[in-house]
Each structure stands twice: as C-alpha cells, then as structure tokens.
Amino acid sequence: MGLIQDTLETVRRRNAGEPEFFQAVTEVLESIEPAIQRHKKYRDGRILDRIVEPERQLIFRVPWQDDKGQIQVNRGFRIQFNSAIGPYKGGLRFHPTVCASILKFLGFEQVFKNSLTTLPMGGAKGGSDFDPKGKSDAEVMRFCQSFMTELFRHIGPDTDVPAGDIGVGGREIGFLFGQYKRLVNEFSGVLTGKGLNWGGSLIRPEATGYGAVYFAQEMLKTRGQTLQGKVCVVSGSGNVAQYTIEKLNQLGAKAVTLSDSNGFIYDKDGISDEKLAWAMDLKNVRRGRIKEYADKFGAEYYAGKRPWGIECDCAFPSATQNEISGEDAKTLLDNGCFLVSEGANMPTDPEGIEQFLAKKILYGPGKAANAGGVATSGLEMSQNSMRLSWTREEVDQRLHRIMITIHKNAYDTSVEYGQPGNLVMGANIAGFIKVADAMLDQGLV
Ligand code: NDP
Ligand code: 2IT
C-alpha cells in the first residue's frame, strides 16, 4: 500500500465509528498526494501522520436547568486541531447531531480553510449536542453560561477564538461572551461574530454568504461569464443562505429556493429583497419554519425534500454536510447546472464530488468558497487588537480581495500540479503546504 493509503488505514483504525471525519481526511489526503510525492521533506517529517491528529480534544459535561426547573445534561466539545500558523480558530455548532466525528471533520477542514484565508489562524471547532430549537431565550442563555463555565479555561484571544456555526448566531455569541467576561474579568476579542456595539465587525454576519458569491464570480470570470440573470438554487435558510441570496440579488442573479430540515420552497419569480427580508425575520426573530414562506407568498413547498431537482445554472449548498448525494449531483448536472459554490462545510458527498470534477464544471469546495466567514472573523480579531473598527466598505473590500486571492491561489496551484481548474486539489494543496511548512519550521510539534 502507498503512504496515503497506509495513513488512511491508521486514521480509520484510530477513529473507529467516525465516518464524517474519515470522509474529510480521505478527500484531503487523496488530493494532496502529488505534493507529498514532489516534496521529500513532508515524507521525512511524517507530516501526514501528524496533521491528521488533533493537537488537543476537550470533551466536557454541560449541566443546565430548563424553564420547568428540570435538570438537563448535554455534552460540550472543543477540538483544537492545529496551531501551526496562529491561535486555534473556528466556530461552535449547537445541533443534536453534534459528536466527535462531526467536530473533528469540521476542525480538520478548518485548518486548511484558515490557511487559505492568508490570515494567521490555526484550526479548531467545537459545540454541543444541545438543540436550540424550541428553547426559550432564557434556556439558551443558561445553557450558554454553563457551556462557557468550562470552556473559558481553554480559550483566549491569543489561544483559541471560537465563533458561530449551525445553531450559534449573534444571540448565543452574546451569552457566551458575557459569561467569559464575568469569569476572566477581561474584555477581549475572545469570540468573533460579536454584536457591533461590543467589539463585533461590520460585514461579519454577511461574510460567509457574500464570500461564497464572490468566489462564484471568480470562477465564472475564468469562462468570461457573470452572475447576471443566472438562476440559482440555494439550500438552508440560516445565516449563510440569507446573505448568499442578498448578494446574488445585488449582482442581478435570481435565487429561487430556500430550505430547512423539513423541506424546501421554490419561488420561480425569484426571492426578492422584500421577500428575503420577510424570510430573515421569520428565521432570525420569529424562529419559524420555511414552509411559512410558501404560505405567505404562494410559492411551492416540497416537504421532506432537498432543492437539487429544481432546474438551475448555479447551486449554493448552504445548509449542512452531505446534503448533495451522487444522485443529487447527477440531477443537477442533467438539468444544466454548471457552477457549485459551497457555503456549507462538506455539503457534497464523495460520489457527488467525483461527478462535478469529471464533468469539469465550476466547482468551489467549501474550504475555499466559504472561507469568507472565518476570514472576516480574522478581520474582527485585527480590529479588536487595534481597538478600532473599520467601515463597512473597508471590511467588504478586504473580504472581496481575500476571496479573489483564495480563488487565484487554488486555481494557480491546480495548474502547477497539472489539473487546471480542479479546485479541490488546488485548495487542498495550497492550504496544506503553508501549514505543513510551518510545522516543519517549528520542530517536532
Ligand atoms: P444556521 O444555523 O444559521 O442555519 C442552518 C440552516 O441549515 C438552517 O436552515 C437549518 O435548518 C439547515 N440545516 C441544518 N442542519 C440540517 C440538516 N441536518 N438537514 C437539513 N437542513 C439542515 O447555520 P449557518 O447558516 O451558519 O451554517 C450553514 C452551513 O454553513 C453549515 O454547514 C456551516 O458549517 C457552514 N458555514 C457557516 C459559516 C458561518 O460563518 N456561519 C462559515 C462557513 C461555513 P433547520 O432550521 O431545520 O435546522
Ligand atoms: O466553518 C466556518 O468557517 C465557520 N463556522 C466560521 C468560523 C469562524 O471562526 O468565524
């Protein structure tokens, strides 16, 4: 067996019962093989064996009381994966499916994504199997306070800087920050995605969605095209989906779907700014289900289905992992979809990726296409360190430049390694080399 297969075998054995983690590692390792073959230093330094092992994994009890006075117990996690190029950085996910496998896949992806942003950030991920759905604000606050009561000792503005992900938005970051501040007696940039009047950055809420659209623009440029008039299918209806649609509208594209875990809506007239504003209030304030959009605007609703059967030019998966199966990918391709920009993390399963690459469509993998969120978190950290805040235009310009640079770096690397336009390979190799070289520079770490 070759080096890559040997390493994968060890990963499988050591992480039994963790399919998402194994999937993420397999995708990266198989695509960086040419770089491992080209550079003896990575083989001699046993970089592969080192990079697949998190530096530290924390698992802890999170007891809290619900509104009825009943005691609830959840499990909290923080996977501090790699700090070779900067402090650990990455989001927190609150969702009933959260487990070690999912957070290790996300932490592993984050290492390469953060490397691509051009900013000095290591990779981490954390969260809990706590389900915020149906909980009162007071219950969410008590949970967040209990979660931070353990997490605070492991993080810090120069150690590890968490942020949001699924189920963790502005409300949760506020409760987490408040508790950290009480425990440490320090007002610092320990979290990103903070409120604007207490250290947050303009454009951070918009950044992942805007970034995924900027990335799509760069891919289209390689074929002399723009987003004007393109029909776009978007999944999810949370933070990433909302701002993806906002930016698509600004650029003259037509977004026609939104979804949640119960189903999707299809609005063939396009989700206008007014309808989007209504949907944002529905999801962010009233915390309702996307079906209500169909009831309100007379759009079609498909219960229990994902939106990939709707005819489109471009797809922006923005909900969760493995939401595009091989079969879904085939449907998209058969219907003429020629661009996929991943706002979510690992939304396309391995069979789906294989088809996108074989058909040579414009395919932007999550760790490149959705890096605008964490990149803008990096910009929030910079502003916190300087104790000042940049204007909306300044942050947006920086985000846009970063997305252009990530695309160029991934594209140029795909050319350098003989597969022009294969951004899976390009992003993985470019992200890997920076981290691997830093690890070698720092001795046996
Ligand atoms: P939100 O919690 O704001 O929204 C998540 C959306 O996805 C909801 O509509 C939710 O529906 C849906 N969803 C979640 N889990 C599932 C599931 N298992 N099946 C079907 N639908 C599901 O999260 P974000 O928008 O922040 O995150 C979306 C994706 O983007 C995730 O993959 C995340 O890792 C990734 N991402 C987020 C970044 C950020 O800055 N926020 C940065 C980079 C990537 P429901 O309400 O029914 O659960
Ligand atoms: O997956 C991701 O990149 C995020 N959830 C954002 C992480 C961050 O630190 O802003």
Side-chain angles (χ1 to χ4, degrees), residues 93 133 165 167 204 208 237-240 261 289 318-319 343 345:
R93 177 176 290 192
K133 272 203 208 83
D165 192 77
R204 176 62 190 90
T208 310
S237 49
N239 172 271
V240 179
S261 50
R289 309 307 298 160
S318 311
N345 284 305

Side-chain angles (χ1 to χ4, degrees), residues 132-249:
K133 272 203 208 83
K135 304 287 190 301
S136 70
D137 286 354
E139 287 176 324
V140 171
M141 180 184 75
R142 288 195 293 274
F143 173 80
C144 287
Q145 290 179 338
S146 181
F147 183 84
M148 187 53 87
T149 300
E150 173 56 33
L151 186 66
F152 88 98
R153 68 189 85 249
H154 307 291
I155 63 176
D158 296 312
T159 305
D160 183 354
V161 182
D165 192 77
I166 290 175
V168 178
R171 174 182 61 169
E172 290 75 17
I173 295 293
F175 295 149
L176 292 163
F177 184 79
Q179 185 70 353
Y180 180 87
K181 188 159 57 68
R182 291 168 82 192
L183 290 164
V184 181
N185 193 28
E186 228 175 62
F187 192 110
S188 70
V190 69
L191 293 159
T192 59
K194 298 186 290 300
L196 285 180
N197 49 358
W198 42 278
S201 173
L202 287 159
I203 300 288
R204 176 62 190 90
E206 293 89 339
T208 310
Y210 279 19
V213 177
Y214 292 148
F215 197 85
Q217 276 187 303
E218 292 312 297
M219 292 197 288
L220 284 165
K221 269 188 206 157
T222 66
R223 298 195 183 168
Q225 296 200 42
T226 70
L227 278 162
Q228 183 70 41
K230 298 285 185 300
V231 175
C232 300
V233 159
V234 179
S235 66
S237 49
N239 172 271
V240 179
Q242 293 168 12
Y243 289 104
T244 293
I245 295 181
E246 183 170 292
K247 185 52 79 177
L248 287 172
N249 285 349

Side-chain angles (χ1 to χ4, degrees), residues 93-95 97 105-106 110 113 125 131 133 163-169 204-205 207-209 235-242 258-263 283-284 288-290 306 317-321 323 342-347 366 369-374 377:
R93 177 176 290 192
F94 292 169
H95 194 271
T97 56
F105 116 63
L106 288 162
Q110 201 80 46
K113 183 196 303 193
K125 203 83 184 190
D131 186 358
K133 272 203 208 83
D165 192 77
I166 290 175
V168 178
R204 176 62 190 90
T208 310
S235 66
S237 49
N239 172 271
V240 179
Q242 293 168 12
L258 276 168
S259 74
D260 60 24
S261 50
N262 294 107
K283 298 308 285 190
N284 308 344
R289 309 307 298 160
I290 204 61
R306 296 185 288 215
S318 311
T320 194
Q321 64 276 356
E323 56 171 318
E342 294 184 340
N345 284 305
M346 204 168 78
N370 73 37
V374 72
S377 279

